[in-house]
Amino acid sequence: MVDGNLGLGLYIGPHCMQMAIDKAKKYGVGFVACRNSTHYGIAGYYATMATDQGCIGFTGTNARPSIAPTFGVEPMMGTNPLVFGLPSTDDFPFVIDCATSVNQRGKIEKYAREGVDTPAGAVIDDQGIERTDTEGILRDMVLGKCALTPVGGAGDKMGGYKGFGWAATVELLCTALQSGPWGEDICGVDRATGKPKPMPLGHFFLAIDIEKICPLDTFKKNTGEFLKALRESKKAPTGPGRIWTAGEPENDARISRTSQGGMKVVAPLQKNMIDLRNSRPGLKEKYPKLPFE
Amino acid sequence: MVDGNLGLGLYIGPHCMQMAIDKAKKYGVGFVACRNSTHYGIAGYYATMATDQGCIGFTGTNARPSIAPTFGVEPMMGTNPLVFGLPSTDDFPFVIDCATSVNQRGKIEKYAREGVDTPAGAVIDDQGIERTDTEGILRDMVLGKCALTPVGGAGDKMGGYKGFGWAATVELLCTALQSGPWGEDICGVDRATGKPKPMPLGHFFLAIDIEKICPLDTFKKNTGEFLKALRESKKAPTGPGRIWTAGEPENDARISRTSQGGMKVVAPLQKNMIDLRNSRPGLKEKYPKLPFE
């Protein structure tokens, strides 16, 4: 159990995952729970730390409440990703990093930018209506009048109770061992004053050292062959004509962006980074010239 | 790693889960992979073995191929349950035991008995059509012309790639460490002769001993309070007016059936059980009178 002392999640997370990996290297499998952390960034990064070191990785985090239970309307659980990583002979590891809700808010903002409706069943409002009006949803989410639904959607017809069960599992793995807060207590806002307040998050990290069970190369080969078979299986004539396995779209993006000389850092963010570097002791020596300077 | 030697999964499974729990009691966390097993019954049973012994349980199994990848139509993965159990102060543990597909075949057979359509997006045929004709689906599934879709449904609109990623995770955890077969190799039928053939399945079992991290009573209290809050959260006016947490419907069924003096064993099954008892050495001494005799 690691206490993050409300420090930077991006620092706490790697420390915990490395602890889990070190334990796995010694005992075969390692598990680390963490409390009083903050947003730990890309969950799949931790799974990749494990795969880079010959381990199976498993991690999750809770977050401010946004998912309503099946047959409920109140945001009670975070988007709570359930994340696994497995090494493979592919150029990239198998990493499934996704929320246990149908969408996160970011996806709905994307629908807004595209000017399209949100698919029915992905958002429910406090009247129990499956909302599709993207702009209205974004407004009502802020007011707590709209909640995201778990994977499987609203109700039980398409298995929404499955996503609900997994979202609750992640919330519990992130709070029950830690006696950590959840729901309204990590909404990030003091309801009386409207001011921001700390959001102590919990995470968990698990690593399994593959070599303790079978040769790593054998494991990678097995994984690679299965994933290749999935990608080469028969395509839906009604679909895009390609099957992507987990981690592949991210790898495609990495290749494409690297070939263009990296990602563009927009001007306001460049300014933020320069200001931060100049105002904090030690950073100017460490980063005398940022890539875009 | 346990080799089941194609024995009875219902015997192999409990042996493996108990191994994982024993390892957890010694080291904090225990993981066991299993190969050459057969159908291991109710996956949630293993999660409950863990919760009964003060552990968090996690298990999964692969199965004959029935789920198609997102944007694919070919049954490539089993219904691959992703199963967690956590002890609670409730009268029953939190156990989420569900397939990573929207439905299993059994649910579609239920739709057939009820004479209703299968919801769109839960089944895709080899032409990429989202089929709803329940009777036709059951016929075409046998012919390999219909596949189940992962949780989140067909395509990517409602997050089907999430269920696909988790289904693939389970298939890999059940085969990659074990170098075990998957897909067509565990379809259970010799395509040349049409005769049944062995289906060597893989499983995995993980247990975390809660007392190694925090007092078990504290954990149970935390879990119980969170689950109670979920059940008591605001109901959808459009829903059944109740929120069930994982394990609760099963507990309700147990109470109701126990109050009726147990489950009815239908006559043909009674005869099967009597015949089996009478024909196998040792069973007649052990079960001289079955409950329904």
Side-chain angles (χ1 to χ4, degrees):
Chain A
M1 168 72 66
V2 170
D3 193 318
N5 205 19
L6 289 178
L8 191 65
L10 295 173
Y11 182 84
I12 299 162
H15 173 81
C16 293
M17 190 73 205
Q18 193 56 51
M19 272 180 74
I21 294 167
D22 292 344
K23 283 171 189 288
K25 292 290 168 185
K26 194 163 171 188
Y27 300 107
V29 45
F31 177 80
V32 172
C34 173
R35 70 176 155 209
N36 287 324
S37 184
T38 54
H39 197 304
Y40 81 163
I42 302 167
Y45 175 79
Y46 304 104
T48 311
M49 281 180 68
T51 59
D52 281 350
Q53 296 177 64
C55 291
I56 295 167
F58 174 32
T59 182
T61 179
N62 65 348
R64 79 176 66 208
S66 53
I67 302 183
T70 299
F71 303 133
V73 296
E74 207 174 329
M76 295 294 289
M77 294 161 290
T79 46
N80 295 6
L82 187 66
V83 178
F84 296 92
L86 293 90
S88 153
T89 42
D90 284 328
D91 294 335
F92 51 91
F94 174 88
V95 173
I96 175 77
D97 172 4
C98 62
T100 44
S101 49
V102 176
N103 298 314
Q104 330 86 310
R105 188 185 163 88
K107 187 72 163 278
I108 296 170
E109 288 171 352
K110 185 167 167 274
Y111 291 137
R113 284 195 299 275
E114 293 167 355
V116 299
D117 279 354
T118 298
V123 174
I124 194 163
D125 73 11
D126 56 3
Q127 301 308 305
I129 297 165
E130 296 180 16
R131 294 274 292 270
T132 59
D133 57 317
T134 302
E135 293 289 350
I137 289 169
L138 288 173
R139 266 196 315 276
D140 284 350
M141 277 184 77
V142 177
L143 303 172
K145 287 186 183 171
C146 269
L148 300 174
T149 61
V151 182
D156 61 354
K157 205 178 63 172
M158 292 292 283
Y161 53 90
K162 301 182 181 200
F164 170 35
W166 291 321
T169 299
V170 173
E171 195 82 38
L172 286 169
L173 289 174
C174 294
T175 60
L177 291 160
Q178 298 89 327
S179 294
W182 42 262
E184 189 64 17
D185 288 340
I186 52 170
C187 74
V189 177
D190 185 317
R191 296 285 180 199
T193 64
K195 286 187 181 156
K197 67 170 185 180
M199 278 173 58
L201 300 184
H203 323 304
F204 66 90
F205 305 86
L206 187 131
I208 299 168
D209 184 25
I210 292 163
E211 284 276 354
K212 294 282 190 304
I213 305 178
C214 76
L216 180 57
D217 284 347
T218 305
F219 182 93
K220 286 184 167 182
K221 187 172 155 285
N222 290 338
T223 306
E225 282 174 0
F226 173 66
L227 296 172
K228 187 161 174 278
L230 291 181
R231 290 191 295 261
E232 290 179 353
S233 69
K234 199 178 165 203
K235 313 296 177 292
T238 48
R242 182 174 165 188
I243 291 167
W244 289 262
T245 53
E248 196 179 12
E250 294 80 0
N251 189 57
D252 285 356
R254 190 181 302 113
I255 291 170
S256 138
R257 282 172 198 154
T258 305
S259 74
Q260 294 162 15
M263 276 178 73
K264 196 171 158 62
V265 180
V266 294
L269 183 57
Q270 289 190 13
K271 186 173 177 316
N272 281 349
M273 289 173 76
I274 293 169
D275 289 350
L276 182 71
R277 186 263 320 269
N278 293 348
S279 65
R280 290 285 181 285
L283 288 182
K284 200 152 189 181
E285 292 68 42
K286 201 163 174 186
Y287 305 104
K289 203 173 145 61
L290 292 164
F292 44 76
E293 280 187 305
Chain B
M1 169 73 66
V2 170
D3 194 318
N5 204 20
L6 290 178
L8 191 65
L10 296 173
Y11 182 82
I12 300 162
H15 174 80
C16 293
M17 190 73 206
Q18 192 55 50
M19 272 179 75
I21 293 167
D22 291 345
K23 283 171 188 287
K25 291 290 171 187
K26 195 163 170 188
Y27 300 106
V29 46
F31 177 80
V32 172
C34 173
R35 70 177 155 209
N36 287 325
S37 184
T38 53
H39 197 304
Y40 80 162
I42 302 167
Y45 175 78
Y46 305 104
T48 310
M49 281 180 69
T51 59
D52 282 350
Q53 295 177 65
C55 290
I56 294 166
F58 174 31
T59 182
T61 179
N62 66 349
R64 80 175 67 209
S66 52
I67 301 183
T70 300
F71 303 132
V73 296
E74 206 175 330
M76 295 293 290
M77 295 160 289
T79 45
N80 295 6
L82 187 67
V83 178
F84 297 91
L86 293 91
S88 153
T89 41
D90 285 328
D91 293 336
F92 50 93
F94 174 87
V95 173
I96 175 77
D97 172 3
C98 61
T100 44
S101 50
V102 176
N103 298 315
Q104 330 87 309
R105 188 184 163 89
K107 188 71 163 278
I108 296 171
E109 288 171 353
K110 185 166 167 277
Y111 291 138
R113 284 194 299 275
E114 293 167 355
V116 298
D117 279 353
T118 298
V123 174
I124 194 163
D125 74 10
D126 56 4
Q127 301 308 305
I129 297 165
E130 296 180 15
R131 295 273 294 269
T132 59
D133 57 317
T134 302
E135 293 288 353
I137 289 169
L138 288 174
R139 266 196 316 275
D140 283 351
M141 277 184 75
V142 177
L143 303 172
K145 287 186 184 173
C146 269
L148 301 174
T149 60
V151 182
D156 61 353
K157 205 177 62 170
M158 292 293 281
Y161 53 91
K162 301 181 181 202
F164 170 34
W166 290 322
T169 299
V170 173
E171 195 82 38
L172 286 169
L173 289 174
C174 294
T175 60
L177 291 159
Q178 297 89 329
S179 293
W182 42 264
E184 190 64 17
D185 290 339
I186 51 170
C187 73
V189 177
D190 185 318
R191 295 286 180 198
T193 63
K195 285 187 181 156
K197 67 171 185 179
M199 279 173 56
L201 300 184
H203 323 304
F204 66 89
F205 306 85
L206 187 132
I208 299 168
D209 184 26
I210 292 162
E211 285 276 354
K212 295 282 190 303
I213 305 178
C214 76
L216 181 57
D217 284 348
T218 305
F219 183 93
K220 286 185 169 182
K221 187 171 155 285
N222 291 338
T223 305
E225 281 175 0
F226 173 66
L227 296 172
K228 187 161 175 277
L230 290 180
R231 290 191 294 262
E232 291 180 353
S233 69
K234 198 178 165 203
K235 314 295 178 290
T238 48
R242 182 174 166 189
I243 291 167
W244 289 262
T245 54
E248 195 178 11
E250 294 80 1
N251 189 57
D252 286 357
R254 189 181 302 114
I255 291 171
S256 139
R257 284 173 197 154
T258 305
S259 74
Q260 293 162 16
M263 276 177 72
K264 197 171 158 63
V265 180
V266 294
L269 184 56
Q270 288 190 13
K271 186 173 178 311
N272 281 349
M273 290 174 75
I274 292 169
D275 289 349
L276 182 72
R277 187 262 320 268
N278 293 348
S279 65
R280 289 287 180 284
L283 288 182
K284 200 151 189 181
E285 291 67 43
K286 201 163 171 187
Y287 304 105
K289 202 171 147 61
L290 291 165
F292 45 74
E293 281 186 304

